[in-house]
Amino acid sequence: MRNPLLLVGPLIAAGILCVPHLDPAPGPVLAGLLACALLAWAGRSWPAAAAASLLLGVLAGATRLSGPVERAPGVTVQGEVRSIKGSRILVHLRELDGAPAQGPLLVRTSEDTRVGDVIAAFGPIGPLRELALPGDPDPHAQTRLRGVHSELRAQRLVVLRPGRRVLQGSFPHARHPGLLRALSSGDRSLVDPADNALLKRTGTRHLLAISGLHIGLLALGAAWLARALTLPLLALRRPRLAWPTRLLPALVGVCVAAGFAWAVGSPVSAQRAAWMVGCGLIGNAMGRGVQPWNLWGGAMAAVCLVEPAAPTELSFQLSFGAVAGLLSVSPRIERLLPPDTPWPLAWVARSVSASTGASLGTLPAVAWHFQELPLLSPIANLVAVPLMGAVAVPASLLGSRGWTLPAALADGAVHWTLQWLHWLDRAPDWTLLHPAVGPLGVLLLAAAVLLVKRPQLSLALLTLSLLRARPTQPTVEFLAIGQGDAAILQLGDGKLVLVDGGPSNTALLKLLRRRRLTRIDELIISHPHPDHYAGFAPLLESLEVGAVRVPRGPLPGESDYARLLALAIHRGVPILGPDDPLPDPRLRLHHPSAPFLERFEEEANEISLVISFHHRGHSVLFTGDIESAGEDTLRHSDPGPIDVLKVAHHGSRTSSDPALLAALRPRVAVISCGVDNQFGHPHPQTLHAHRGWPVLRTDTQGTLQISLGDTLRWRAWDGRWSDWAAVPERPWWALPSES
C-alpha cells in the first residue's frame, strides 16, 4: 500500500469516538490487540493493522473513562488551568480540601483566568451534568475523554499565581492590533467583533488559526537558513560530513516547529502542523521522499494518542479536514486545466482550487457546528491568503518581537485584506448557504470528500447526508434549552408550531436546520420574558415564519420584546393576539380572556398564553408561567383532563396549585428548567404536588419527545435517544367522574 498510515489515523480517531458510547473495559481490548498480532503473524497484515488501529483508539479512550466521582456540598481545590472554553475551565488538581490530589477537574466560573494560572476555588462538587440538543456535539463525551468525572461550580475563585503566557505581542500603533496579535500568537480575544463577523461571512476565519501556514513558514525558513550555514561544509567534500549536513537543517526545522507550537499553547492545529512539517523534513533529509497522505494519517494518529479527546474538538476536525480537502479535491480540480494555460491564469486557478478543496474538506465540521458555507470563500481567499499568509503572518511574527517596519507592513497587509473582504461582502444573500447535518451526516460528508475520486459514490454519500425522516404521528418536543421554555409541536400534516423559544442563542435555529424544517406556521410567545422569546430572533432572521402570536404588545421598559416584534414586522410576519384564529383546529386557547388581560396587563407571568393540542384522544397543555390568578381562572374554565402537562413557571412554588392539578389530572408532567439553576427550580413543594403521576425534567433527562399516536409514548435525549416508553394510564382514582 502506497500510503500505509492513511487509514491508521482515522481508525484510531474512530475508536476513540466510540468509547463514550461503549464504555469498554481495557482487558478485552488488550485481548483484541493480541488477536490482531496473531492475525498479522498468520499473514493477514492489513486486516490486522486496521483492526489494531481501531482497538488502539478504543484503548486510548478507555483509559480516560475510569476515575472517582467526587460529591460534596462545598470543597476547596487548588490546581493549574489547562484549558478554557467559555465559563468552563479544565483544572489539573494539586489539592482537594488541603490533601494532595491528582487528576483533571471541570470548574465552572465567571472569573477571568488564563491557561497556566494556579487557582484556588470553593464550591459544591458533583458528577458532570452537561446537556445538548439532539444532534449537537456531545460536550459530555469530550469532557469524559479528557478524564474528567466531576465538576465544581465555583462560588469563589482566586488566582494564586499567574502562569506562563503564550507567545504574545503588542502592536500599539497598528490599525488592527487584535488581528495582528491573532496572526502572531493565535490569541483571538482582542479581535474586533465586526472583523470576526466579516471573516466568518466570507469564509476566511481560518486565516487567524495557528496552523501549517505559520509553522511551515517558520520551520522551512529555519531549515533553509541552517542549510545555508552548512554549505561551506559541503565544499570540503568529505563523505563523513554529507549525512550530518543533510540532517542538520531538518532537525533545526523540527525544533523550530515544535518550539513554536509549544510557545503558542499547543492548539490542535499547531500540533498537526508540527507533526506533518517535522516528519516531512526528516523524511526528505533521509531520502525517503514525502507522502502527504502518510504525513496526514501519521499526524492524526500521534495527536489522538497524545490527547484522546482531540477528535471531539472543532479545531481537530477543521485542521485535518482542510488538509484532507487540499489533498483529495484540489488535485482533481487542477487536472481540468489545459497544459498550455498561461501562468497567471494557472496561478489563479490553482489558488481557487486550493481554497475550494480546503472549504470542502472542512464542510463536514462547518455543517455540524456553524451551518454556514460562504460560496464566495474561494474568491475571497484568492487575495486574502497571499496577503495574510505570505506578508502579514511572517511580518507580524517579526513585529511581535518589537520590529517596527515589519509590524507596519503586517498592518498594511491586514488592512487591504479587510478592504477586499468588505467589497466582496456586498454580494447578495444567496452567496451564504446553510448546510446542516448531525453526527451521522458528518461521517457521510467526510467520506464523500475522501472518496471524491469516485464521483458516483461521493454524490450518493452526499445525498444520504441530506435525507431526513419526518414523524408520521404528531409529536411534541420539550427542549433542554437551559433555564427557559421551548417546545416544538409537529402536527403531523406538515404544520409546525413552536411554543416559546428559550433564551438567546442559535441552538434552536441549528436544530431546525438539521431537521430540514425551514418553515414554521406559527411562533407562540407565551409571555414577554426573555427566557421564553429571545431564541426566536434567529428564527425570524433566517427561516420562513407564518405568524407570531403574543398575549399583548410591548409596554414601556420591554425594549428587547419590542425589538423582536419590530423584527417580525420588518420581515413581513403578522403579529397575532389571543383572539385571532389558531393555525389548526386541534389547537385551543384557554387563557387569558380579554377582561383578565386588561386587569393583569402588567403581570407578564399571569397573562401567559395557555394553549392545548388534542389528537386522537390525547392532549397536551402548555401553561407558560401562569401563577395563582391565572391558575385560578384556568381551573374554572374546565380544561381537564389533560394527558401531558407542561408544568407552569419551570416548577416554581408560585405555581402548580393543587386545586388546578386535581382538575387537570395529567398522566405525565414535564418540567422545563436549567441544570442547577439559580432559582432552585423545580421547588420541592411543586414536586410534592405532582407526586401522583410521572414527572419528566429537562434538567436531569435532557430533551423530551412525546409521540401522540395511538399510544402515548415518550423518550429522552442525553447524547442519544433512549428507547420509547409508554406513558402510564391515568389511575382509576384520577379518572373523570360521570355526569
Side-chain angles (χ1 to χ4, degrees):
M1 186 175 181
R2 186 178 180 184
N3 300 298
L5 296 181
L6 171 59
L7 293 179
V8 171
L11 286 173
I12 290 177
I16 291 173
L17 293 174
C18 291
V19 167
H21 305 289
L22 299 177
D23 279 341
V29 179
L30 290 173
L33 288 172
L34 179 60
C36 290
L38 295 175
L39 187 64
W41 181 74
R44 304 291 183 180
S45 56
W46 283 116
S53 300
L54 188 65
L55 291 174
L56 192 60
V58 173
L59 182 63
T63 56
R64 298 298 185 95
L65 295 187
S66 60
V69 176
E70 304 290 344
R71 291 182 175 88
V75 297
T76 301
V77 300
Q78 288 188 23
E80 179 183 346
V81 177
R82 294 291 176 85
S83 67
I84 301 173
K85 184 176 290 186
S87 62
R88 303 159 65 241
I89 64 176
L90 184 65
V91 175
H92 185 75
L93 283 179
R94 294 182 177 179
E95 291 185 8
L96 179 65
D97 272 344
Q102 293 288 328
L105 175 71
L106 187 67
V107 177
R108 296 184 182 269
T109 178
S110 58
E111 299 291 334
D112 183 28
T113 58
R114 298 289 185 90
V115 173
D117 288 349
V118 177
I119 59 103
F122 172 82
I125 191 172
L128 292 172
R129 300 179 68 186
E130 300 181 90
L131 298 174
L133 293 181
D136 273 346
D138 186 1
H140 191 65
Q142 183 183 85
T143 310
R144 290 184 67 203
L145 284 171
R146 287 185 175 274
V148 182
H149 306 285
S150 307
E151 68 175 44
L152 181 139
R153 295 185 173 271
Q155 298 172 350
R156 294 192 299 275
L157 186 143
V158 178
V159 177
L160 301 178
R161 186 177 73 249
R164 173 186 68 85
R165 296 294 184 254
V166 298
L167 178 64
Q168 293 176 343
S170 60
F171 301 86
H173 305 296
R175 287 170 290 184
H176 309 285
L179 288 171
L180 293 180
R181 183 168 177 169
L183 290 173
S184 61
S185 69
D187 179 12
R188 288 178 274 187
S189 60
L190 300 181
V191 175
D192 186 282
D195 291 340
N196 193 50
L198 175 65
L199 294 171
K200 180 181 178 182
R201 290 194 302 271
T202 54
T204 54
R205 190 166 50 178
H206 64 92
L207 296 172
L208 301 185
I210 295 294
S211 62
L213 188 64
H214 299 68
I215 293 177
L217 285 171
L218 283 174
L220 294 176
W224 177 85
L225 181 60
R227 176 71 173 173
L229 294 176
T230 57
L231 284 177
L233 297 178
L234 291 177
L236 298 177
R237 295 184 178 180
R238 294 187 178 182
R240 293 182 180 180
L241 296 177
W243 172 253
T245 303
R246 290 199 309 268
L247 190 59
L248 182 61
L251 292 178
V252 170
V254 169
C255 292
V256 168
F260 182 71
W262 175 84
V264 297
S266 299
V268 170
S269 57
Q271 294 179 44
R272 189 268 309 159
W275 279 106
M276 292 188 68
V277 171
C279 292
L281 286 172
I282 292 176
N284 190 58
M286 296 178 65
R288 302 296 299 271
V290 176
Q291 295 292 339
W293 280 116
N294 266 344
L295 296 178
W296 181 82
M300 182 181 291
V303 171
C304 290
L305 293 177
V306 171
E307 178 49 70
T312 64
E313 296 180 5
L314 174 61
S315 57
F316 177 96
Q317 298 160 15
L318 291 176
S319 182
F320 282 96
V323 177
L326 285 170
L327 297 178
S328 61
V329 177
S330 298
R332 304 284 298 179
I333 300 176
E334 292 179 11
R335 289 174 191 168
L336 301 177
L337 287 175
D340 56 347
T341 303
W343 72 264
L345 292 178
W347 177 82
V348 170
R350 290 190 179 96
S351 299
V352 172
S353 69
S355 180
T356 303
S359 297
L360 291 178
T362 58
L363 177 60
V366 167
W368 194 16
H369 294 271
F370 303 123
Q371 300 183 351
E372 291 185 351
L373 180 65
L375 294 181
L376 291 177
S377 175
I379 306 300
N381 282 286
L382 183 64
V383 173
V385 168
L387 278 176
M388 298 285 271
V391 181
V393 168
S396 66
L397 291 172
L398 295 174
S400 67
R401 314 317 300 161
W403 294 18
T404 305
L405 185 58
L409 180 62
D411 192 42
V414 169
H415 178 73
W416 285 109
T417 300
L418 292 178
Q419 294 299 313
W420 164 250
L421 298 180
H422 276 297
W423 183 76
L424 283 181
D425 197 38
R426 301 172 185 173
D429 293 340
W430 59 263
T431 58
L432 186 64
L433 300 181
H434 298 284
V437 296
L440 178 58
V442 170
L443 297 177
L444 293 173
L445 282 179
V449 172
L450 292 175
L451 297 174
V452 71
K453 291 184 178 180
R454 300 181 178 180
Q456 294 85 355
L457 180 58
S458 181
L459 183 61
L461 292 171
L462 178 63
T463 304
L464 284 175
S465 70
L466 300 176
L467 297 179
R468 284 294 177 276
R470 298 291 177 87
T472 57
Q473 301 289 348
T475 62
V476 58
E477 201 165 351
F478 299 94
L479 304 179
I481 202 75
Q483 182 59 21
D485 267 8
I488 300 175
L489 182 57
Q490 297 198 57
L491 305 185
D493 52 2
K495 291 183 179 179
L496 179 67
V497 173
L498 269 59
V499 183
D500 289 327
S504 178
N505 56 52
T506 59
L508 178 56
L509 172 63
K510 291 180 178 179
L511 174 64
L512 295 176
R513 280 177 173 163
R514 280 195 298 271
R515 295 179 176 178
R516 310 287 182 262
L517 300 174
T518 57
R519 188 188 189 282
I520 304 168
D521 290 272
E522 189 165 294
L523 301 178
I524 297 175
I525 300 175
S526 65
H527 63 290
H529 277 168
D531 60 328
H532 290 252
Y533 69 71
F536 279 157
L539 273 59
L540 286 168
E541 293 172 346
S542 305
L543 304 181
E544 181 185 353
V545 177
V548 175
R549 186 177 301 273
V550 297
R552 60 159 171 77
L555 299 178
E558 296 178 341
S559 56
D560 292 340
Y561 181 46
R563 279 192 291 269
L564 180 74
L565 299 188
L567 173 62
I569 294 172
H570 175 72
R571 301 283 293 184
V573 179
I575 308 297
L576 306 180
D579 296 331
D580 291 302
L582 289 158
D584 190 279
R586 294 171 293 178
L587 289 168
R588 303 174 190 171
L589 179 71
H590 300 271
H591 178 79
S593 62
F596 186 96
L597 187 59
E598 183 178 356
R599 178 183 175 188
F600 291 92
E601 183 180 36
E602 296 184 1
E603 301 292 332
N605 285 342
E606 294 286 20
I607 62 168
S608 295
L609 296 175
V610 177
I611 292 176
S612 65
F613 174 70
H614 302 261
H615 178 76
R616 291 188 179 179
H618 302 312
S619 54
V620 183
L621 184 68
F622 302 93
T623 56
D625 281 359
I626 58 171
E627 297 181 331
S628 57
E631 289 191 332
D632 185 62
T633 303
L634 179 62
R635 177 170 60 88
H636 286 92
S637 69
D638 192 23
I642 289 293
D643 292 296
V644 181
L645 171 65
K646 201 289 295 183
V647 176
H649 204 179
H650 321 291
S652 167
R653 64 177 177 178
T654 59
S655 302
S656 296
D657 177 58
L660 174 63
L661 298 182
L664 295 176
R665 299 186 294 276
R667 291 171 59 184
V668 63
V670 176
I671 299 178
S672 179
C673 58
V675 175
D676 294 335
N677 61 85
Q678 60 179 327
F679 308 103
H681 296 156
H683 195 274
Q685 177 180 314
T686 302
L687 294 176
H688 181 75
H690 287 277
R691 67 190 182 278
W693 41 80
V695 176
L696 308 178
R697 297 169 48 175
T698 61
D699 63 328
T700 58
Q701 295 165 287
T703 293
L704 301 162
Q705 188 179 70
I706 298 176
S707 173
L708 303 174
D710 295 332
T711 302
L712 200 63
R713 302 181 301 161
W714 71 275
R715 61 178 180 173
W717 173 275
D718 187 9
R720 55 184 171 181
W721 286 114
S722 64
D723 295 332
W724 285 103
V727 174
E729 294 294 334
R730 190 175 287 106
W732 65 268
W733 45 265
L735 293 175
S737 57
E738 297 182 3
S739 56

